[in-house]
Amino acid sequence: MTDKQRIAVAYGDGIGPEITEATLRILQAADTPLEFDRIEIGEAAYRQGVSSGIPRQAWDVIRRNRVLLKGPITTPQGGGYKSVNVTLRKSLGLFANVRQCKSYTPYVASNHPGMNLVIIRENEEDLYAGIEYRQSQETYQGLKLVSRPGTENIIRYAFEYARAYGRRKVTCMTKDNIMKMTDGLFHKTFDAIAPEYPELRSEHQIIDIGAARVAAIPESMDVIVTLNLYGDILSDIAAQVAGSVGLAGSANIGEDAAMFEAVHGSAPDIAGRDVANPSGLLVAATQMLVHLGLGSYAERIKNAWLCTLEDGIHTADIYREGISERSVGTTAFTDAVIERLDQTPQIADKVTYQDKAIEITLAPAIAQRKALVGVDVFLDWSEADRDPNVLGRQLEAANGDGLRLSMVTNRGVKVYPEGLPETYRSDHWRCRYLGGEGEGEASGAGSVEFPQVLRLLERIHNAGLEVIKTEHLYTFDGELGFTLGQGE
Ligand code: NAD
């Protein structure tokens, strides 16, 4: 007999308790060798004043068990509450988010019968770092952080996944025509890793046309790998296009912990009415079983679930006159899955799961020769009708000590020297100083020492200008570590 494995279970908020109860009932009916340790996170914890939504006792259970099955959690709007989901993913190092979006036609209505795609999304970085600032009266800023190891790990995971599950193609989606450093790194890393998997086709699409294709011709996609925010948006589109957000599960995988949840949220509009579709969390639970090396149990449950869909026993979100046989609530749907635990789907693909989680070797650290070559000084400035020529002259007066003003931009567009009078100017200015000759040619800029930057800031401050932040300009093995201004 297999030893029982303990997993943490959070029932969640809204429809969470109903769909979690349903999922656990099916796991138990299938005799899965699991023990459930229930934890309270989310709304109840927020109400008790735990602003993270995760009390200490819950952390202890999660960290001990390393695997969490989680119902959806309501994130209160505003008020300084942090999203429990984002906190869990980041604190536990769950770098990969895997969402399969498949249509189940002809049993569940979908305009895309052949759709069967998987979105593998980077789960810890990008704009989800949540580092945001208001820096002037008019301007707010969010930091988009993308690391080379983070990128390499998710891309390698996507290729390994595609290989393990017999997929044919991996599509990378970025917006590197605009974000040349962050998204550019993602695209370049994808191109560097792809040749290691010669049996798989690889391609890159700009995220906007890529997302449009997911909506219009999802059957042309196989495995998609992308950054955090794009992946979040894309997977809801894909889940909805496949039939319902209520059908898709999501696995969050880290090196030594994992969390499984439905793609959808806590659906407060239908909570407590026994109408929610438990399928998303159930599918996530089957992903969890595979992760735990219990693939045969996953297969049995997934097949019973497919039989239920095939028999037309549908919850309200997927019920369609003429296709469905019976409209049922959460409890009756769950009973129907349990009744079919030893049945094999007739027409829908019979699933077979391998008993193995995907493993990758995490990216090693690298060391390149790093040199400071200049500094971008950001100002909050609204004087002289925001005339860039007035500001430019004041900034040039601070030249010296090996640093020279090279340009001023406003919202990324060069406005000095030789800006266009038509360019709109906000109160947020970026003033680029480069070392050595400095003028214009960033790549030819000379080396700068940090004290030179400090003295420059002092000169700018003494000129009566308000410095709100600085960004250092580096080269790495001689390659620029910063973008040029538009028009530079
Ligand atoms: P939602 O996914 O909860 O609901 C969107 C729509 O889909 C609603 O009409 C809902 O009734 C329907 N729906 C969702 N799940 C369903 C199911 N299983 N069966 C039938 N219909 C279903 O999105 P929302 O309304 O934008 O968000 C509600 C709350 O959930 C918010 O507080 C949000 O922060 C949170 N949320 C949590 C998670 C998570 O825990 N991973 C994910 C997304 C949103």
Side-chain angles (χ1 to χ4, degrees):
M1 195 185 127
T2 325
D3 278 347
K4 290 203 168 181
Q5 304 194 44
R6 302 195 81 86
I7 60 160
V9 177
Y11 279 49
D13 305 319
I15 58 169
E18 301 159 63
I19 62 172
T20 308
E21 197 59 61
T23 301
L24 295 190
R25 228 160 36 87
I26 294 167
L27 289 174
Q28 277 160 337
D31 290 325
T32 50
L34 298 175
E35 300 263 17
F36 307 118
D37 288 331
R38 182 168 179 172
I39 57 168
E40 297 293 342
I41 58 177
E43 266 184 333
Y46 292 129
R47 271 200 303 275
Q48 286 162 19
V50 182
S51 69
S52 69
I54 312 171
R56 196 184 166 77
Q57 310 88 289
W59 270 128
D60 291 345
V61 177
I62 296 168
R63 295 187 58 222
R64 193 172 61 235
N65 291 352
R66 316 308 296 171
V67 172
L68 168 63
L69 180 66
K70 187 183 76 61
I73 306 273
T74 301
T75 307
Q77 300 282 308
Y81 295 110
K82 285 280 180 192
S83 157
V84 163
N85 304 311
V86 176
T87 304
L88 281 170
R89 288 172 193 158
K90 292 174 64 153
S91 308
L92 295 172
L94 308 179
F95 67 88
N97 185 294
V98 182
R99 295 180 174 185
Q100 193 188 359
C101 299
K102 182 173 168 19
S103 60
Y104 299 97
T105 46
Y107 309 103
V108 179
S110 164
N111 293 329
H112 301 286
M115 172 176 184
N116 182 5
L117 62 84
V118 179
I119 296 172
I120 299 190
R121 155 191 169 199
E122 198 291 316
N123 216 15
E124 299 180 275
E125 307 192 339
D126 192 1
L127 288 158
Y128 285 56
I131 305 176
E132 296 190 298
Y133 302 98
R134 178 177 178 181
Q135 297 184 317
S136 64
Q137 297 299 327
E138 292 174 1
T139 309
Y140 296 69
Q141 180 199 5
L143 276 189
K144 172 160 172 152
L145 292 176
V146 178
S147 77
R148 198 192 58 86
T151 300
E152 209 172 303
N153 292 341
I154 192 68
I155 289 169
R156 204 168 280 291
Y157 187 92
F159 277 107
E160 287 294 328
Y161 180 99
R163 179 176 271 173
Y165 284 91
R167 298 270 176 168
R168 293 176 317 284
K169 182 173 76 166
V170 183
T171 305
C172 172
M173 292 195 191
T174 74
K175 186 80 182 169
D176 69 333
N177 52 332
I178 303 295
M179 280 158 280
K180 297 189 163 58
M181 309 252 13
T182 47
D183 287 31
L185 171 72
F186 203 91
H187 186 174
K188 263 191 247 156
T189 308
F190 179 81
D191 285 348
I193 290 177
E196 294 176 35
Y197 300 84
E199 77 277 24
L200 294 166
R201 277 172 54 212
S202 63
E203 62 176 15
H204 174 267
Q205 295 186 9
I206 300 287
I207 183 70
D208 31 14
I209 187 63
R213 287 183 184 136
V214 167
I217 40 168
E219 54 280 1
S220 69
M221 302 286 170
D222 197 350
V223 174
I224 297 172
V225 63
T226 188
L227 294 97
N228 203 343
L229 176 63
Y230 309 142
D232 195 0
I233 298 168
L234 210 53
S235 51
D236 268 34
I237 297 174
Q240 190 66 48
V241 166
S244 163
V245 283
L247 291 177
S250 157
N252 300 272
I253 309 289
E255 206 189 356
D256 59 0
M259 174 172 86
F260 300 86
E261 58 187 341
V263 163
H264 60 75
S266 57
D269 53 335
I270 55 166
R273 291 171 28 206
D274 193 38
V275 297
N277 188 344
S279 299
L281 190 62
L282 184 65
V283 169
T286 63
Q287 290 177 287
M288 175 184 79
L289 290 169
V290 173
H291 178 82
L292 291 169
L294 300 170
S296 59
Y297 294 89
E299 192 175 331
R300 186 166 173 230
I301 292 172
K302 192 85 180 269
N303 280 333
W305 176 71
L306 286 174
C307 288
T308 311
L309 295 181
E310 268 187 13
D311 288 346
I313 300 174
H314 293 169
T315 43
D317 57 315
I318 55 171
Y319 183 87
R320 294 289 179 284
E321 206 68 56
I323 296 178
S324 310
E325 285 290 324
R326 193 145 63 88
S327 176
V328 292
T330 316
T331 311
F333 184 84
T334 308
D335 292 340
V337 175
I338 292 171
E339 281 163 22
R340 287 163 180 75
L341 272 172
D342 289 312
Q343 295 183 18
T344 306
Q346 295 301 305
I347 304 171
D349 297 341
K350 181 178 176 298
V351 293
T352 41
Y353 280 118
Q354 50 171 7
D355 268 3
K356 205 170 142 303
I358 310 289
E359 280 170 14
I360 61 158
T361 309
L362 295 182
I366 54 158
Q368 289 182 310
R369 193 169 40 81
K370 178 179 176 187
L372 181 65
V373 297
V375 62
D376 277 353
V377 181
F378 287 77
L379 302 179
D380 179 355
W381 188 76
S382 286
E383 283 155 38
D385 283 338
R386 300 183 180 177
D387 179 345
N389 296 314
V390 173
L391 179 61
R393 282 192 292 274
Q394 271 184 278
L395 291 164
E396 274 172 348
N399 281 349
D401 189 25
L403 280 165
R404 290 182 67 83
L405 183 74
S406 124
M407 65 157 185
V408 180
T409 68
N410 195 294
R411 300 193 304 176
V413 180
K414 189 176 88 164
V415 291
Y416 182 87
E418 294 156 18
L420 297 176
E422 292 85 356
T423 306
Y424 175 81
R425 291 167 315 263
S426 76
D427 58 1
H428 192 265
W429 304 79
R430 174 178 62 159
C431 315
R432 174 159 292 176
Y433 287 86
L434 295 173
E437 292 305 309
E439 284 157 290
E441 266 299 302
S443 54
S447 232
V448 172
E449 299 289 335
F450 183 55
Q452 288 171 263
V453 173
L454 293 177
R455 291 193 292 269
L456 171 70
L457 294 179
E458 196 165 22
R459 292 196 296 279
I460 294 173
H461 172 74
N462 289 342
L465 296 167
E466 184 188 347
V467 175
I468 49 175
K469 78 170 197 140
T470 56
E471 291 287 350
H472 286 177
L473 306 177
Y474 295 106
T475 57
F476 292 82
D477 283 350
E479 203 179 297
L480 291 192
F482 50 96
T483 52
L484 302 179
Q486 279 160 28
E488 189 177 4

